[in-house]
Each structure stands twice: as structure tokens, then as C-alpha cells.
Amino acid sequence: MVLEILPYGVGHADEGICLLLRIGPYRILLDCGLENIDLLKHPELEGAENATNPLPADLVLCSHAHPDHARGLLALHQSFPELPIYGTEVTCELLPLNWLGEEAQTQVFCMALPWRKPVELLEGLTVELFRCGHLPGAAAILLTYRGSGGENFPHPLSILYTGDFLLSNSRLVEGLPLEELRGLQPQVLILEGSYGTSRLQRRRVLENQLAERIYQAIASGNSVLLPTPALGMGQELLILLRSHHQFTGRDLDIWVDGKVAAGCDAYLEILPQLPASVQNFARHQPLFWDERVRPRVRRFRTENYNVGDNDTNPLLGTTPAIVLTDTNADISRYCQPNTGPWLILLPEKPGFPRPDGNSIIKNANLQVETYLLSEHADASGTTQLVHNLRPQHVIFIHGSPNYLADLANLDELRSRYHLHTPTAGTLVELPIGDTPILADIADATYEGELTEESGVVTITIPEEIGNDPRWKNFADTGLVQARWQGEELVLRGISQRELLTQGSDARVSPEYSCCGNCLYYRGMRCWHQASPLFGFKVTTEGYCPVFERATPRFMESDATNLENTDFPGTTGEG
């Protein structure tokens, strides 16, 4: 029995995902996120036995519509029109966004498969799709082979491919339902490791942090620019801004441009496939385009510019606004000198250097920061999925090679499963029935020295640690935070953003009459209605005439009660 995988792309950096699975007599292509499909036009690369087959595979399965998984499908279809391509119904509808502006955009070549219903696509080979969060229509693909042509296997072979997945719910997509997959026990599990062994805060916490930063910028008179991918993140951010309690009812314009706007239109077409809560929201007010309910959401158009006035849009220059546009958009289209100060928020990609804003800062009116909003499972979600499925082989793809190696070196995984972190062009053979062995993957550990002198502890580590691309983020400010974890000492770098946040909330002496010691100071905001600072975020050192000291007894015993109190004029998150 042949069971092996030849990766054409494994998602390192900007490399797309494209995997050729060989199971028995069949060749299945899992995703095609390659920018150049020339490799797929030469089947002799797979072996002499396939050199006479004009097709690169027997069929193609697309997990979801993100470019790194799907951008090569149109070229593949144009080169091999007879090659069948399958995906979910929603994925089929979203795929054309990868080729906006091309004449062939309207070509319908992807065939829809149902959810949770095994379909026999080839003799003895069935495919079943499970929802896996991350993006509308994204699917975990279960392939089961029971033999064909007289073959008879006592146990069928099964492979589960997740593409990208997220266990927690996002604004527009329900998370992967782990209970539906529990007990499948496929022999092979192919899954992403985008976040490696990182453990992130809950998504709702990250959303609130981002909303708070945008609120601060708007309150300070800044407009905010959010360059995002066309599908997924842009629509999630838009719904977050429309429904978050800090923005609902606020006199604010949100402009949407480029492919992000096209993505919003595509989401409206698949509204019946979105979660019930989203459909309920859309019954009461438009999901995206709405100039009546505040904050207003408008489509940014070139004709909005006043050509006679330095090509500026007066609507952007009068009051602070929020703009969502494409990742590679020309920011000078929006951040013009006479449109006021701007905050540009760039999404982080864990495992890779943080986006460098120096290349786009051209004047003092631009400030660039980064944010993290989880789109993939972190270490706890990844290991949870693996342990619930209990496969024999685990193949990690999609992410920084260092992050994938970190996952493969987790003792809880490497002692129980065959672990693989392949590179493009490296054939992975998957023998079934062998006892799990330790993964033969280099573990990047560094030995150093520790000295203690005059009350100062110094830890010296070899300079080779700086060769890791993660070092730049770790050493961002030159400051570290240390804490005990059992008998181990854990070090973590402190970022500039975290340093600024800590500085604004520093502890003050209880003797001072300042906001930090006021009865109405909670969550870094003033909640005294008679105060001129009411509702604003203030530093602990601030002061106003209506200051009321919080007694030590109150601060110690009643802080929890105050935290759960609804102050006048405040509302919960919508």
C-alpha cells in the first residue's frame, strides 16, 4: 500500500500550500496556493511511473479560499480543464476574489461538496468535510480509502487535512467543533502550526485590546488606517467596530476600499451560510454598508476626491475616521498631509519579524503600530486537536520553520506520534503500523552561564541565539520580564507597545490625590459623571477637582464588586 505526500509548497513565509497525497493508486492534490504552477505541469517529477499521465493529480480538494491555499487554482484549471476541483459551497463562491480584475474571474470551475456527508469521488475513496473555523467555508477534509479493483483491507486508511483552523469563535465564523472530530483516529493528520508553541490570550480579549487602541487614537484626534487581507480579517474588523460598545452610536465614519470592499460584498452573498447571530444582526440593520446607523460604513471611491483641492477627500480631513483597505495599498491615497494625524495598525504574523513601519513613515503625522488578532489555533488548540484524534503520523505545515520545529519537539507529541515538518520538494513516506518514534528534528537549545555579583544576577547566552528571526522581536526594547514556572525561570521580551501601556498604568503612592487613588478610577478610565475626564482614559497620575479618595479597606475588599458594577452611562459589549 502506497501512502506518501510530496509537498510542492508548505507555507513557509509567503510560500503557498500545495500537497500531493498518494494513497493506493490515486493522487490527490490538497490546495493549490502556488503563484507559479509550472512544477505541476511536469508529473515526471513525482516518479517515472506517472510520466505518461498528463494530469498532475486525479482530483483537487481546496480547504478554503485564502490566497495561500487557492491562488493557483485558476491557472491550474486553465492548464488542465478536465481536472476536477472540489470545495465547500461557500469556498466556491469566495474563490473568484483571488482573481479580481481578470477576465477569467467569472469562470465556474470548483464543484461544491456537502458538509458532514461522505462522498465517493473515486472508486474506494470517500471525502467528508467538517467545519474548521478561521474563514467562512473553511473545511477540514477527511479522506478514507477502502481499496479498489479487488483490493481488500481489514482497516481503511484515513487522512485528515485541516488547512487553517481555529477552535474559538470569531465574529463571522464559528470555531472548529472538536466534538465532531473526536474519535475519528485517522492514521495521518496534516495540520497547520502557524503559531507554534505560543499560547495566546483568548480572541475576545485580543479584540477588546485592539478596539481600545483604536478608540484611544480616535479620541486623540487621529484617523486610523487598517491594511488587511481581502477576505477574513477585513470583514472581522469591520463587524468588531460596528458592534463593539466603544463605537456603537459614535459619530464616526468607517471607509472601506479595494478588495476588502469586494470581500464585504461577497460575504453578503453568503449571508445564509454565516452564523445565526450574524444573520440576526443583519435583520435589524445592514451588515456592512450603512450610512444611517452610527458608526457609518461607506465605500471609499476615487470620485469622492476634490480634484481641485490637492486631490484630497474633504470627508477624510474634517474629523477622525477609520479606513480599511488592502494590505499592499498605497497609503498616500488616504494619509495625505492635510487630512490630520494618522495611526497605521499593521497585523502581526507570529514567527516572523514584526512589520517594519519605517518604509511607510514619510512625515510626522504618521504613527505605525502592530496588533495581533488570532486567526489560527495556538499551542493549546493544536495539541488538543492532535490528542483528540490520536493519529499515527502528524505532519506540521504552514508557519515559520522555527515554530514548526518547536511543535515537533514538544515531549507530549514526539513521544507518542510520528512527527514530520517537511520542506517543499521533500517526499514524506507514511508507513502504517510502526511504533511511534521520536521525531528526528533539531531542538534549538542554548547553554549559557549565570553569575551573581553585588546583588545583580547576570545570565550570559551565546550570540548564536541572535541568528533566530524571533530574536528581533524578543530584543525589541532590550528589556525582559522574568517569572518562575515551577522550578524553571521563564524569560520574555517586553515590546514597545507593552512598555508604553505599563508606563501609563504605573503604581502611585496611596498618599497622593490622583486618579490612581480615586474611587471612580477603574479600567484606566474615569467614571465620575461630574468630572471633566468622565469616560476618558487617563493616567494614574491625573487629577481633577472632584477627586474622591478610595479608602484602603474599600480598595482591598470591594474592588471586585466595583469591577462588576454598571456605572451610569456605560453599556456592555454589543
Side-chain angles (χ1 to χ4, degrees):
M1 166 56 68
V2 176
L3 184 59
E4 59 188 24
I5 287 180
L6 176 63
Y8 289 111
V10 292
H12 292 170
D14 295 328
E15 175 185 280
I17 301 292
C18 186
L19 308 172
L20 183 68
L21 169 67
R22 296 188 60 198
I23 178 169
Y26 302 129
R27 296 171 301 141
I28 314 299
L29 201 63
L30 301 174
D31 283 336
C32 186
L34 303 176
E35 291 188 356
N36 189 329
I37 67 164
D38 285 347
L39 283 176
L40 302 179
K41 297 179 181 179
H42 302 282
E44 65 272 10
L45 296 179
E46 304 166 26
E49 66 273 18
N50 293 318
T52 58
N53 191 334
L55 297 180
D58 296 299
L59 58 88
V60 182
L61 297 170
C62 179
S63 64
H64 63 287
H66 271 153
D68 57 338
H69 291 257
R71 61 188 161 206
L73 288 177
L74 178 60
L76 186 64
H77 170 70
Q78 292 172 337
S79 299
F80 306 99
E82 64 275 28
L83 178 62
I85 301 174
Y86 299 93
T88 65
E89 180 181 352
V90 172
T91 295
C92 293
E93 295 190 38
L94 295 180
L95 277 178
L97 289 173
N98 288 287
W99 310 290
L100 284 177
E102 298 186 24
E103 295 182 1
Q105 177 198 349
T106 57
Q107 289 189 16
V108 179
F109 58 83
C110 185
M111 294 175 282
L113 295 175
W115 294 109
R116 295 300 313 278
K117 182 179 179 181
V119 179
E120 187 173 15
L121 297 180
L122 298 170
E123 184 183 359
L125 180 72
T126 61
V127 175
E128 184 175 2
L129 305 183
F130 298 83
R131 301 180 189 273
C132 66
H134 179 69
L135 184 76
I141 303 171
L142 177 67
L143 298 104
T144 305
Y145 180 63
R146 293 178 171 82
S148 62
E151 295 174 317
N152 185 18
F153 300 108
H155 302 288
L157 292 177
S158 60
I159 298 94
L160 183 70
Y161 169 59
T162 67
D164 296 339
F165 75 100
L166 182 64
L167 294 181
S168 59
N169 295 335
S170 56
R171 295 277 169 170
L172 293 167
V173 189
E174 294 177 346
L176 182 148
L178 194 59
E179 64 278 0
E180 293 184 5
L181 301 180
R182 187 176 291 116
L184 287 180
Q185 293 187 316
Q187 284 92 347
V188 179
L189 172 62
I190 309 170
L191 78 165
E192 61 151 323
S194 300
Y195 293 166
T197 55
S198 302
R199 296 185 183 272
L200 306 181
Q201 293 177 300
R202 299 179 66 178
R203 182 180 170 96
R204 188 54 57 94
V205 174
L206 297 174
E207 287 180 345
N208 288 335
Q209 291 176 351
L210 176 59
E212 172 65 25
R213 183 64 190 97
I214 296 174
Y215 177 86
Q216 290 177 2
I218 296 296
S220 301
N222 290 265
S223 291
V224 178
L225 179 65
L226 293 160
T228 71
L231 275 178
M233 180 65 78
Q235 292 73 36
E236 290 282 337
L237 290 174
L238 189 51
I239 290 298
L240 170 63
L241 295 171
R242 297 209 66 198
S243 60
H244 199 276
H245 68 91
Q246 289 183 308
F247 298 98
T248 52
R250 189 177 182 88
D251 187 10
L252 178 69
D253 288 318
I254 302 175
W255 298 89
V256 188
D257 196 14
K259 292 183 179 181
V260 179
C264 292
D265 294 335
Y267 269 55
L268 295 177
E269 295 295 326
I270 63 170
L271 183 59
Q273 304 289 340
L274 298 181
S277 59
V278 179
Q279 297 182 47
N280 184 59
F281 180 96
R283 292 190 187 100
H284 296 85
Q285 65 185 81
L287 188 60
F288 296 121
W289 313 118
D290 191 347
E291 299 191 15
R292 179 179 58 87
V293 178
R294 300 176 179 179
R296 296 170 293 272
V297 180
R298 294 170 171 167
R299 194 185 303 268
F300 191 93
R301 300 182 185 278
T302 304
E303 53 266 28
N304 290 337
Y305 283 101
N306 183 353
V307 179
D309 186 19
N310 298 324
D311 291 340
T312 61
N313 186 340
L315 293 177
L316 276 180
T318 53
T319 59
I322 300 174
V323 177
L324 283 83
T325 188
D326 301 335
T327 301
N328 299 321
D330 180 6
I331 67 167
S332 64
R333 175 177 167 87
Y334 321 100
C335 306
Q336 300 193 14
N338 56 346
T339 57
W342 283 84
L343 171 65
I344 303 175
L345 292 174
L346 304 176
E348 295 180 10
K349 188 176 182 181
F352 300 94
R354 291 191 180 96
D356 184 10
N358 295 329
S359 59
I360 61 177
I361 295 180
K362 295 180 173 59
N363 58 64
N365 282 334
L366 297 183
Q367 179 183 354
V368 179
E369 295 181 10
T370 63
Y371 67 92
L372 176 60
L373 194 60
S374 56
E375 297 181 277
H376 308 265
D378 65 358
S380 59
T382 301
T383 54
Q384 186 179 4
L385 179 62
V386 173
H387 291 323
N388 274 274
L389 294 176
R390 292 187 292 176
Q392 198 168 92
H393 293 271
V394 179
I395 301 175
F396 287 117
I397 59 171
H398 199 294
S400 160
N402 291 317
Y403 269 33
L404 300 180
D406 290 346
L407 277 172
N409 279 293
L410 287 175
D411 288 338
E412 62 176 301
L413 296 181
R414 67 198 303 257
S415 61
R416 299 176 61 181
Y417 312 101
H418 290 275
L419 303 178
H420 312 268
T421 58
T423 57
T426 303
L427 183 68
V428 180
E429 297 181 348
L430 303 167
I432 300 300
D434 294 342
T435 303
I437 58 175
L438 295 179
D440 186 18
I441 299 173
D443 187 7
T445 58
Y446 306 90
E447 293 185 359
E449 296 181 354
L450 185 150
T451 59
E452 183 177 359
E453 183 178 353
S454 301
V456 177
V457 176
T458 303
I459 300 176
T460 305
I461 304 175
E463 63 179 4
E464 287 79 10
I465 195 172
N467 297 330
D468 192 299
R470 291 170 289 186
W471 177 256
K472 183 178 179 180
N473 294 342
F474 181 87
D476 185 23
T477 61
L479 300 176
V480 296
Q481 183 183 78
R483 63 179 176 84
W484 289 106
Q485 183 173 296
E487 295 297 320
E488 297 180 346
L489 184 65
V490 178
L491 297 178
R492 57 180 294 270
I494 299 178
S495 65
Q496 296 183 26
R497 180 176 57 189
E498 185 177 2
L499 190 62
L500 292 173
T501 302
Q502 291 178 352
S504 65
D505 195 27
R507 292 186 177 274
V508 295
S509 171
E511 299 178 357
Y512 295 137
S513 297
C514 58
C515 293
N517 296 323
C518 182
L519 174 65
Y520 295 92
Y521 180 73
R522 296 298 296 172
M524 301 179 67
R525 293 186 181 278
C526 174
W527 298 110
H528 198 307
Q529 288 188 323
S531 171
L533 302 176
F534 174 67
F536 288 100
K537 186 171 183 179
V538 295
T539 65
T540 53
E541 298 87 357
Y543 173 78
C544 75
V546 294
F547 167 79
E548 292 186 30
R549 184 178 302 278
T551 64
R553 178 182 176 184
F554 170 83
M555 295 172 68
E556 293 174 2
S557 62
D558 293 344
T560 302
N561 294 333
L562 179 60
E563 187 176 14
N564 295 326
T565 300
D566 290 330
F567 289 95
T570 64
T571 60
E573 180 175 344

